[in-house]
């Protein structure tokens, strides 16, 4: 069965620091998809990125970057020059090809960025 | 598009009462999901519909929970009778339906059962 582990339950940084959120996954499927979602204090879940298992190319979007490594079953998320508005809970999630679009979420990492 | 719309945003009810949560998915999306979020268990999938048909309801906690999707633009999650342990935030999400496209979430319904 699939599983997503986010070992860091809470991280606190000072504004402008870089921060990396870890995500480790388990799956038996050879085709799968990884996601990151952001949940700000207002409570909604905001989609950030989707990667498929055949594409290990790292991605950068502004201050956000993602490092996908199949060898270590990891999909880590880095925020460069963090800002107070980045404070949120971040969830990593996995879906398997054979499971439709059902997402299995990690437990989330609460990021607090202090001014 | 207005996104996934859930109602009500907040619901407080007494134990034993029936509760109905509502969801309007994004137009054109074929897949609809109900998730529950609690401090203890995190985000759990309750049920998944594809083209209005329930595909996987293995996450529904017990017979007190039921979900329907009578048409492509509306779904309900009903709890009868409600219990305090059902207190949680319930999210509805929809996706276009192609394999493993991202799901778009509503703002959630915060349910409190007293």
């Amino acid at each position: 069965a699939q599983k997503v582990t986010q070992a860091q339950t809470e991280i606190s940084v000072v504004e402008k620091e870089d921060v990396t959120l870890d995500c480790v996954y388990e799956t038996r499927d050879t085709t799968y998809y990884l996601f990151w979602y952001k949940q700000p204090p207002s409570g909604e879940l905001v989609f950030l990125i989707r990667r498929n298992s055949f594409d290990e190319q790292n991605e950068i979007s502004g201050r956000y970057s993602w490092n996908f490594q199949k060898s270590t079953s990891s999909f880590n998320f880095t925020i460069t020059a963090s800002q107070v508005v980045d404070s949120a809970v971040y969830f990593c999630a996995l879906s398997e090809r054979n499971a439709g679009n059902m997402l299995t979420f990690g437990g989330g990492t609460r990021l607090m960025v202090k001014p | 598009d207005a996104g996934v719309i859930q109602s009500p945003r907040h619901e407080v009810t007494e134990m034993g009462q029936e509760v109905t949560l509502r969801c309007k998915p994004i137009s054109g999306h074929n897949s609809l999901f109900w998730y529950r979020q609690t401090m203890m268990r995190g985000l759990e999938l309750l049920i998944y519909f594809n083209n209005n048909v329930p595909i996987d309801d293995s996450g529904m906690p017990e017979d007190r929970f039921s979900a329907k999707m009578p048409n492509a633009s509306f779904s309900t999650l009903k709890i009868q009778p409600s219990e305090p342990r059902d207190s949680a935030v319930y999210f509805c999400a929809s996706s276009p339906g192609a394999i493993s496209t991202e799901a778009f979430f509503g703002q959630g319904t915060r349910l409190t059962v007293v």
Side-chain angles (χ1 to χ4, degrees), chain A residues 6 8 11 18-23 35-38 48-49 59 61 63-68 74-80 86 89-92 109 111:
Chain A
Q6 295 179 254
Q8 305 149 308
I11 300 175
D18 299 347
V19 58
T20 295
L21 310 181
D22 298 332
C23 173
F35 304 80
W36 277 94
Y37 282 83
K38 174 182 180 180
L48 295 178
I49 191 172
E59 183 158 336
S61 176
R63 295 184 299 106
Y64 294 172
S65 62
W66 291 270
N67 182 5
F68 176 26
S74 65
F75 186 43
N76 297 337
F77 174 28
T78 297
I79 302 174
T80 302
D86 296 327
V89 181
Y90 291 86
F91 291 95
C92 182
T109 297
L111 174 65

Side-chain angles (χ1 to χ4, degrees), chain B residues 39-94:
Chain B
M39 289 294 293
M40 291 294 293
R41 299 174 69 90
L43 277 158
E44 309 172 272
L45 176 68
L46 299 177
I47 187 168
Y48 157 44
F49 291 88
N50 194 46
N51 292 321
N52 312 338
V53 176
I55 303 299
D56 189 326
D57 64 355
S58 58
M60 295 285 263
E62 48 198 272
D63 292 345
R64 297 185 297 106
F65 285 69
S66 62
K68 294 182 179 179
M69 192 164 185
N71 57 62
S73 59
F74 184 65
S75 176
T76 59
L77 177 68
K78 185 180 293 187
I79 308 172
Q80 164 65 16
S82 57
E83 297 181 2
R85 59 189 168 127
D86 302 330
S87 297
V89 179
Y90 290 81
F91 286 101
C92 176
S94 70

